[in-house]
Amino acid sequence: MRSPRRHPLLVPALLCAFAVLAARPTNAADNGGARPEDGEPGISAQVARLYQDAARATQRYEAGHLEAQTQRAQALRFEGLLDRERREIAVLHEDLGRIARAQYRDGGGLPLTAQIIFAGDPGELMRGQHVFSRTTLAVNNAVDKSRRAETRLKADETRAAAASRTLEKRSTELAALKADIEQKLEEARWRLQGQADTSVAAGSCRGAVRLDQPQQAPTGAWVTPVEAYELSAGFGSGGSRWASWHTGQDFAVPIGTPVRAVGAGRVVSVSCGGAFGIEIVIEHTGGYYTQYAHLAAVTVDQGESVGPGRLIGQSGTTGNSTGPHLHFEVRVTPESGSAVDPVPWLAARGVPVG
């Protein structure tokens, strides 16, 4: 069972720190030496680069999504303004009709000659003409106001429609870009895994590939072995795939995920084959060892010193594994059979896992 707590599987703050260098195989430990010609050259570097690209694409997509939400909220407010403008125009049309009817009743419908003939006295005629002039002015003003409002409404509706089309186009482009990079990353992941499987089957692991390390070192002395993950099988759990019980903590992550040393130490073994597939064991001060198993690639050699957060490999699903994940153990000896629960061990060092 996987923990319900989820972490984002792509974290731009970490992944954007991995610049890609050419893969530089070196001799691996516990085998007869790496054969650089085995497998697809540079696939580890390609996966690392695609992780960067995917992280940037995700960042842009999320920024575009937030922008879209903001623009949609603005569009709703704008639509409210347009509705108000439409109601104002309707009121203006009603006022215009009322004024026109009043003008007709007050004599606006008669020619001036007829009004002179039928007028009772000059004063009455002048008062009628004064009312008529004011009414005509009101009609003209109402017509002008209505025309201006209709022109403004038409311009606002055009602008709103253009903004909506632009937003839709941008969202579609960002989604397509993100999907394309993620597809390329998925294909590269499985090429990396295929290369790792070939090496494990041959019993001859490829050497360490050299990728750039994170530019910012962790602030603490200890870190989690992967930055983003879901928890799967825990320490002590039972299962048909283990001889007795599970000896570590599994972190469910995609193939090619950067794997980090949890603390400062020295690489005591890099091996290939067996139930753990490609694995690394690191010795730390205090008499503890950490193991990182089922890897697809390694970026360190035996005897190498590492610091907390140092990129030591890429996750995979080699060995006795049902799917992509990192098997992480804490031991009191370099060999299997001396494992302790890694979750409270990390928690005691200020690294909560969950």
Side-chain angles (χ1 to χ4, degrees), residues 221-222 262-268 282-290 305-306 308 330-332 345 349:
W222 300 92
V262 296
R266 183 179 65 88
V267 178
V268 295
I282 297 176
E283 180 183 13
H284 305 279
T285 57
Y288 287 100
Y289 298 80
T290 54
S305 295
V306 296
V330 177
R331 304 169 176 171
V332 295
W345 187 87
R349 288 156 179 75

Side-chain angles (χ1 to χ4, degrees), residues 92 95-104 132-147:
L92 288 174
D95 290 344
L96 185 59
R98 187 179 63 254
I99 293 172
R101 289 191 296 273
Q103 183 189 36
Y104 183 81
F132 175 73
S133 297
R134 285 191 304 173
T135 303
T136 300
L137 180 61
V139 170
N140 291 337
N141 288 340
V143 170
D144 289 343
K145 187 175 182 181
S146 178
R147 287 175 176 171

Side-chain angles (χ1 to χ4, degrees), residues 320-351:
N320 186 12
S321 173
T322 57
H325 72 283
L326 170 70
H327 175 86
F328 174 72
E329 282 192 21
V330 177
R331 304 169 176 171
V332 295
T333 68
E335 296 81 21
S336 298
S338 62
V340 299
D341 192 340
V343 172
W345 187 87
L346 283 171
R349 288 156 179 75
V351 183

Side-chain angles (χ1 to χ4, degrees), residues 306-320:
V306 296
R310 165 71 185 272
L311 174 60
I312 60 172
Q314 292 169 300
S315 65
T317 182
T318 54
N320 186 12

Side-chain angles (χ1 to χ4, degrees), residues 49 64 72 85 126 198 224 327 330:
R49 187 187 70 249
R72 287 189 185 98
E85 288 182 2
M126 294 301 296
T198 300
T224 54
H327 175 86
V330 177

Side-chain angles (χ1 to χ4, degrees), residues 185-216:
L185 176 57
E186 186 66 10
E187 293 171 354
R189 283 170 174 159
W190 286 106
R191 290 201 302 273
L192 176 64
Q193 180 62 41
Q195 177 177 286
D197 290 338
T198 300
S199 296
V200 170
S204 178
C205 293
R206 299 179 71 247
V209 291
R210 299 304 182 182
L211 306 177
D212 240 4
Q213 297 298 316
Q215 295 178 354
Q216 291 184 337

